[in-house]
Amino acid sequence: MADVVTHHCPNCGGPLTFNPSDQKFHCDYCLSIFTVEDIEKFEAKEQVTTKEDTAATANPTDTVSGEMDLFLCPSCGAQIVTDHTTAATYCYFCHNPVVLSGRLTGEFLPNKVLPFTIDREKAVADFLNWARKKRFVPKDFFNEAQIEKMTGVYFPYWVVDAETIGSLAGKGTSLRVWIVGELEYTETKVYQIFRKGKASIKHLTKNALTKNIQQKMVEGVQPFSIDQAVDFHTEYLSGFQAEKRDIEIKDLAQQIDHELDEYTKDLLQDTISGYTTFTPGNQSTQVQKQDNHYMLLPVWLVTYQDNSDKTYYYAMNGQSGKVSGVLPISYKRLGLFSGGIFAAVMALAMIVGYFL
């Protein structure tokens, strides 16, 4: 069961949305601006907690299907259909931001959230600049109606901090070559090398959502500046969509152990220098401490469907602006360009032939 919440303006009651530009919450009706502390103090004073605010109006009905749930908008009463991992969205009737807070409680309560720092206007501009650098992109790709589909989504991630200890043994060689007269001499020295040490590995970030298409996109926009994450508050989700994790940390344990092992070995091997060759031998690593953090990280998403109904997916890091995705190619524009080159070459050949 997920409670449905819209954070309202303390002054006029209008819906609040989070603004990445100033990291505050804005009311589009009275233009008031608040911090997260302002909102929580107001809601506590008015005794409008998430649970009390939604108990009478936000009872979910029967599940629509195995993957879809039905809720009621607390602002207008319209039905909101979501899949089982959606934690924040919009009411498509009144357009008010809605947070399904019950899906982000208990074991699913995020430890941290990394707020958007790129607002929608800048995200659109940066995305178009990125796309315009590529040639032969279809013209309709840049249509306003197409770019309006860009959506800000908080995706779930597991972020791991670990301390490891490792040892590495191997054989190093040092090769020296010199020439005396007509003779070439080669001297090879062999060394037994041993390294042992501790490693501190921060912010190993793993996707916590199984949706295949979105998983590829959100992995492509890493890294995130995890150090800038703040304590989670549902207010940061207002005006954006959000997803709840469906991958548990135990499901990633083998993958994480392998990566921690490889990082530790690489760090030890990086300390070995000054040899012509190095051949690793016995190696061992051990995780001494591991802290797992469940976080929501910001991603801008946009899709494009070409004339053949092929869908292209794009993601942008909501903090750094890094874009991931493959742009479509207009073969008509490519053909015209190729034809222009061919015509220019033929014209040049005719001119050269005339003078010959």
Side-chain angles (χ1 to χ4, degrees):
M1 180 177 294
D3 297 330
V4 183
V5 175
T6 296
H7 292 285
H8 294 282
C9 172
N11 293 336
C12 71
L16 293 172
T17 57
F18 177 70
N19 189 317
S21 298
D22 60 7
Q23 301 288 290
K24 294 182 179 179
F25 304 87
H26 292 238
C27 174
D28 292 334
Y29 289 85
C30 68
L31 304 181
S32 298
I33 300 175
F34 305 93
T35 64
V36 65
E37 291 80 10
D38 294 334
I39 301 168
E40 293 191 340
K41 287 180 181 179
F42 168 75
E43 291 179 348
K45 182 179 179 180
E46 296 296 318
Q47 297 182 344
V48 184
T49 64
T50 299
K51 182 177 179 180
E52 294 170 343
D53 188 44
T54 60
T57 61
N59 296 322
T61 65
D62 294 336
T63 301
V64 178
S65 69
E67 298 295 330
M68 305 300 290
D69 293 323
L70 182 65
F71 302 89
L72 299 179
C73 173
S75 297
C76 69
Q79 294 180 340
I80 301 172
V81 180
T82 74
D83 65 21
H84 69 291
T85 60
T86 300
T89 184
Y90 279 92
C91 171
Y92 291 99
F93 186 79
C94 68
H95 303 293
N96 280 342
V98 174
V99 178
L100 309 179
S101 61
R103 290 183 173 175
L104 297 173
T105 58
E107 63 177 317
F108 292 101
L109 180 67
N111 305 114
K112 297 279 185 177
V113 59
L114 184 62
F116 279 86
T117 57
I118 297 177
D119 60 23
R120 191 179 189 283
E121 183 178 355
K122 178 171 173 51
V124 169
D126 289 351
F127 178 75
L128 290 177
N129 288 336
W130 172 77
R132 289 191 179 106
K133 294 178 182 178
K134 313 296 181 180
R135 306 185 71 173
F136 315 121
V137 177
K139 290 184 178 180
D140 63 346
F141 185 87
F142 303 99
N143 289 347
E144 183 177 348
Q146 157 67 23
I147 302 302
E148 283 179 352
K149 300 175 185 177
M150 181 171 281
T151 305
V153 183
Y154 283 102
F155 278 99
Y157 288 83
W158 285 107
V159 179
V160 178
D161 296 329
E163 294 179 4
T164 63
I165 186 171
S167 63
L168 169 65
K171 182 176 70 174
T173 64
S174 177
L175 186 67
R176 186 168 72 97
V177 179
W178 70 95
I179 299 174
V180 178
E182 296 182 353
L183 296 179
E184 179 179 279
Y185 296 88
T186 301
E187 178 188 70
T188 302
K189 293 182 179 180
V190 180
Y191 301 88
Q192 293 298 321
I193 301 171
F194 181 77
R195 294 287 189 272
K196 184 177 181 180
K198 295 182 178 181
S200 179
I201 300 169
K202 298 290 187 182
H203 305 157
L204 175 60
T205 305
K206 307 299 295 182
N207 173 59
L209 192 66
T210 57
K211 296 179 181 179
N212 291 331
I213 294 175
Q214 294 177 342
Q215 181 178 358
K216 293 177 182 178
M217 291 190 298
V218 297
E219 288 178 350
V221 297
Q222 293 191 42
F224 292 91
S225 297
I226 303 298
D227 288 333
Q228 298 179 21
V230 298
D231 291 338
F232 176 77
H233 297 276
T234 59
E235 288 86 348
Y236 288 107
L237 308 186
S238 295
F240 298 93
Q241 295 188 22
E243 295 287 339
K244 181 188 75 172
R245 77 172 190 262
D246 61 1
I247 299 177
E248 299 303 320
I249 192 67
K250 62 182 177 61
D251 300 322
L252 300 170
Q254 185 174 355
Q255 185 181 142
I256 291 172
D257 287 345
H258 175 73
E259 292 190 34
L260 293 176
D261 179 75
E262 290 299 311
Y263 286 142
T264 304
K265 291 177 180 177
D266 289 344
L267 288 170
L268 287 172
Q269 191 157 329
D270 287 343
T271 66
I272 300 172
S273 61
Y275 299 94
T276 305
T277 64
F278 172 73
T279 304
N282 295 330
Q283 304 177 61
S284 67
T285 62
Q286 181 181 355
V287 178
Q288 292 189 313
K289 181 181 179 182
Q290 180 175 327
D291 295 321
N292 307 314
H293 310 281
Y294 174 41
M295 298 190 186
L296 297 183
L297 306 181
V299 180
W300 285 102
L301 298 179
V302 65
T303 61
Y304 169 76
Q305 194 170 57
D306 64 14
N307 294 330
S308 64
D309 293 332
K310 180 180 179 179
T311 303
Y312 295 80
Y313 300 89
Y314 305 92
M316 175 188 289
N317 187 310
Q319 186 184 57
S320 69
K322 180 182 178 182
V323 180
S324 172
V326 178
L327 288 167
I329 295 177
S330 170
Y331 290 99
K332 180 179 179 181
R333 296 186 67 186
L334 179 60
L336 291 173
F337 178 78
S338 301
I341 293 177
F342 178 77
V345 170
M346 291 301 295
L348 179 61
M350 290 176 65
I351 294 172
V352 172
Y354 174 80
F355 282 104
L356 292 176

